[in-house]
Amino acid sequence: MRRIGAGFAVLAGLAGTPALAHEGHQHLTPAAAPASESPFLAENEAAMAKMMEGMAVHPTGNIDRDFVAMMTPHHQGAMDMAVIYLRHGGNEQLRRLAQEIVVTQQQEIAAMQLALGLAPPPSAPAPTQALPFPRDRTDPVKHRLLATVCLGGSLLSAGAWAGQAPDRPVSHQDRVYAAEQFSNTVSVTDPASNTLLGVIRLGDPQPGNLSPLYHGQVLVHGMGFSPDHRTLAVVSIGSNSVTFIDTKMNAVKHTTYVGRAPHEAFFTPDGSEVWVTVRGEDYVSVLDANTYEEKTRIRVPAGPGMTIFSPDGAYGYVCSSFNPETVVIATGSHEIVGRVKQQSPFCPNIAATPDGTQVWMTLKDVGRTMVFNARPPFNILHTMETGPITNHVNFAHTARGSFA
């Protein structure tokens, strides 16, 4: 976990003498800085002032609560400063670090809140206790699965992929599945009533999952679903696993362990294979969708972030989170048949248009989105500036037209 800011030296002086926080430190002020740096420094000064004001809490006599009360604005200050750097800074390595600071500090705020038995921030998933499911479970073949992933996840409409009308009104037969990294659970929601139906527990929240005897999953994250809607594949980054869930019973039916830090797992359109991007390694792990065992590995540039398939199943597009290259793989032969140059080495997400003509990918560290031809020669069609921390892309069709 990364820390930036005043650190524990500030904490020691908060209760009695807040002024000591700046003692011995010289800060560049906007007035003394070059004109080109003045906006950056002005925003940072404001963020630091907000952080220091928030950390100057009145002692309550409860060390645990006072610690969290001081550390929460401290972490928020780190996030604010990281976002400011993303607006102004140009070093690609520092931009990637700043993005990580935003994520990790947010996670730690939620972990501290949960440690005290408090509700986590609104941006963090809330359920940490298993809830009972209703007895009249809906047949997954008859409803649409709307699978979401919290903390940087994509919305996937199984109805549209299965040939059902994507603009069909949401009903009580639809389901939203949300994978939650803090509680290591998958929550199931009725989107028509916005009601939490139950929670599938894959692991325990901290500190329980830090035990050397712990057997559950850690950092439950990415999800994909089978074409017949009967199975969810849930990736857990920290425990290097893919958990397969029966959507009719909302129960785990198998867990497969793969390489270091897998990121996403998706079924091929014909439902025969599950491709897992193993971001901490240099390959895609291909699992048999019937046995859930690994059948082969496809070597790709190190740090594969995500695989998406063309609607007809002919190609798999694998972007990289560590190298500036996306590869196109023939799904039948598992051979690389095309390469696309990324404008940065950090692509977290990729999506194919429903008509199968284009592939869109986000570049998180430089705030851009690239579009390339989904068919040979896989040439780049367009690049757009979409802002700091551009994370995920997906498609929607409305009365006004189609949008990304």
Side-chain angles (χ1 to χ4, degrees), residues 230-290:
R230 294 183 183 276
T231 305
L232 284 179
V234 186
V235 164
S236 296
I237 300 172
S239 48
N240 305 330
S241 63
V242 183
T243 302
F244 294 91
I245 295 176
D246 181 328
T247 58
K248 185 174 183 179
M249 301 302 295
N250 287 314
V252 174
K253 56 184 178 180
H254 190 83
T255 299
T256 301
Y257 290 90
V258 293
R260 179 178 181 270
H263 188 231
E264 302 282 358
F266 291 114
F267 286 80
T268 53
D270 67 2
S272 65
E273 296 177 342
V274 180
W275 288 27
V276 186
T277 47
V278 185
R279 189 153 66 170
E281 307 281 357
D282 61 351
Y283 59 84
V284 174
S285 178
V286 180
L287 310 183
D288 185 297
N290 294 312

